[in-house]
Amino acid sequence: MTIISDEKISEFKNFISKHEFFFIIGHKEPDGDCIFSCLAISKILEQLKLPYQLLNAGPFKRNELKEIANLFSNTPEFLSEPERKKTGLIILDCSEIIRLGDIEGDLKGIDTYIIDHHLTAEPKENSIIDPTSPATTCLVQQLYEKIIGPLTKEVAEYIFYGMATDTGYFRFLNENSSEVFLQTARLVQAGVNPRNIYDKISGGKPYLTRKLLGIMLNRAERFYNNKLIITYETLEDTKKYGQEGRDSDSLYSLLLAIDETEVVVFLRQDTEYSCTAGFRSRNKIDVSNVASKFGGGGHKNAAGASIEGKIETLIPAICKEFAKVLN
């Protein structure tokens, strides 16, 4: 992970100094890294005595996010034109306005700063974008420590939640992760209890999610000499088993553990004509490249996309793209 330069720290501080009010927002269907990086940034602004509003289109599906969902709104406060000119928009864990989802207000034209770590994010003016960072919260931790100082327990817990989410509780880190663990040590020194956070993230799943997981496993099919596994969830499944507490992380983990598997794809039919796709790879295959072919993006080993179409037509299309890198 690359350490944020002093120049970038100064750039972010200058951005903050130019505004009197802030909107803080992350991508729709947020995960822990998205939400907790937003909360950690809000604590920087609180320390600087600057007002803000937390925004997110939701839905908040993960167990560890339910208790804090009420801190976020999908409706920006109304601002007069002079107020808008003094407002800053801080986008975390994504770099495209379209990924913010349905927000009941106009955020276009507001001076913007982006903090993101996705491989497919393109460098922009007023941004800290570092694909070498395993989580956006890792970047926010550096900002907090350099701008405010030592972490409070509350902020340290926010950052640990986000870091644990995007690293698979540190399972996805490689040999170049010493700085990440040094940062994590400072979180524990600030009072974080790793066991409690693990229980919060992994526990509390509704019974029906286990039934749905069994169906997903039963549907899984293998392609290209067993290197690719694809499974899916239909509209009927969602109606029967609900949307609460989905556990795609367990699904990916179980399928990637199968011998010869290099890539797992999960498709969910969200509406009659649109799907959400999740892509995971074990190591060498860059699934963000394939996700980008369908308008999505993400990391080398974890990516996603919202795609127009139906499961029965998207599976052959996705297979065709993976044929280029798996054969």
Side-chain angles (χ1 to χ4, degrees):
M1 182 179 72
T2 305
I3 303 299
I4 299 174
S5 68
D6 290 341
E7 290 77 13
K8 280 295 180 182
I9 297 292
S10 295
E11 179 186 86
F12 182 67
K13 290 171 68 174
N14 289 337
F15 175 83
I16 291 175
S17 69
K18 292 191 301 182
H19 303 96
E20 298 178 1
F21 180 79
F22 297 85
F23 291 125
I24 305 172
I25 191 169
H27 56 79
K28 65 181 180 179
E29 296 197 25
D31 59 5
D33 190 34
C34 171
I35 289 301
F36 288 108
S37 61
C38 287
L39 288 170
I41 280 289
S42 77
K43 296 304 175 181
I44 293 178
L45 298 180
E46 283 185 16
Q47 290 290 329
L48 298 174
K49 302 188 185 317
L50 292 168
Y52 62 86
Q53 184 186 18
L54 291 162
L55 298 173
N56 198 278
F60 292 77
K61 299 175 183 176
R62 293 173 177 259
N63 188 58
E64 66 271 22
L65 304 183
K66 293 177 182 177
E67 293 180 1
I68 54 176
N70 65 325
L71 300 177
F72 292 78
S73 171
N74 68 349
T75 306
E77 294 182 18
F78 174 78
L79 300 175
S80 66
E81 194 56 36
E83 289 172 329
R84 285 175 65 87
K85 292 179 180 178
K86 297 178 182 179
T87 296
L89 174 65
I90 303 177
I91 299 177
L92 293 123
D93 207 36
C94 72
S95 57
E96 304 86 14
I97 289 286
I98 191 172
R99 290 207 63 214
L100 301 181
D102 295 327
I103 298 294
E104 300 294 330
D106 183 15
L107 299 178
K108 294 180 180 178
I110 297 177
D111 196 16
T112 301
Y113 202 96
I114 294 169
I115 304 171
D116 191 15
H117 73 124
H118 289 98
L119 188 64
T120 50
E122 296 182 1
K124 296 176 173 62
E125 186 179 359
N126 277 352
S127 70
I128 295 172
I129 297 176
D130 180 13
T132 70
S133 177
T136 298
T137 41
C138 289
L139 302 173
V140 175
Q141 178 179 351
Q142 293 182 55
L143 290 172
Y144 189 99
E145 290 174 330
K146 291 184 179 181
I147 295 172
I148 304 301
L151 298 158
T152 65
K153 180 181 178 182
E154 180 184 34
V155 175
E157 286 180 341
Y158 290 159
I159 292 167
F160 195 99
Y161 268 115
M163 198 182 295
T165 298
D166 267 27
T167 64
Y169 223 85
F170 308 101
R171 290 176 294 132
F172 305 147
L173 296 178
N174 57 30
E175 68 275 10
N176 301 315
S177 303
S178 58
E179 183 59 39
V180 179
F181 283 104
L182 289 172
Q183 287 194 200
T184 304
R186 296 199 294 274
L187 302 180
V188 177
Q189 288 172 342
V192 168
N193 185 319
R195 174 180 289 183
N196 289 348
I197 290 180
Y198 178 81
D199 288 343
K200 192 75 172 180
I201 292 174
S202 61
K205 306 296 184 184
Y207 171 73
L208 288 179
T209 65
R210 307 299 94 177
K211 302 286 284 186
L212 181 59
L213 182 59
I215 291 171
M216 302 299 99
L217 292 172
N218 190 52
R219 284 195 186 131
E221 292 191 34
R222 300 200 284 182
F223 304 86
Y224 306 122
N225 295 320
N226 302 329
K227 295 178 182 178
L228 170 66
I229 295 181
I230 299 181
T231 189
Y232 58 89
E233 176 184 332
T234 67
L235 286 171
E236 291 74 21
D237 295 330
T238 305
K239 183 177 180 180
K240 182 175 181 179
Y241 296 103
Q243 299 184 25
E244 293 300 314
R246 279 202 183 100
D247 197 9
S248 55
D249 291 342
S250 292
L251 176 67
Y252 293 128
S253 180
L254 288 167
L255 293 178
L256 282 172
I258 297 172
D259 188 36
E260 301 179 300
T261 304
E262 294 186 24
V263 176
V264 171
V265 176
F266 169 61
L267 280 171
R268 184 178 69 244
Q269 192 80 50
D270 291 321
T271 70
E272 188 177 356
Y273 300 107
S274 66
C275 290
T276 295
F279 305 84
R280 297 292 186 274
S281 64
R282 179 176 285 166
N283 189 15
K284 64 181 181 179
I285 302 299
D286 186 349
V287 292
S288 69
N289 281 337
V290 176
S292 67
K293 305 293 185 182
F294 297 93
H299 316 285
K300 176 183 177 182
N301 302 121
S306 296
I307 315 173
E308 295 298 316
K310 295 188 176 184
I311 289 170
E312 54 266 31
T313 56
L314 288 175
I315 288 178
I318 290 170
C319 283
K320 183 178 179 181
E321 290 301 326
F322 275 110
K324 302 173 184 177
V325 294
L326 289 174
N327 283 343

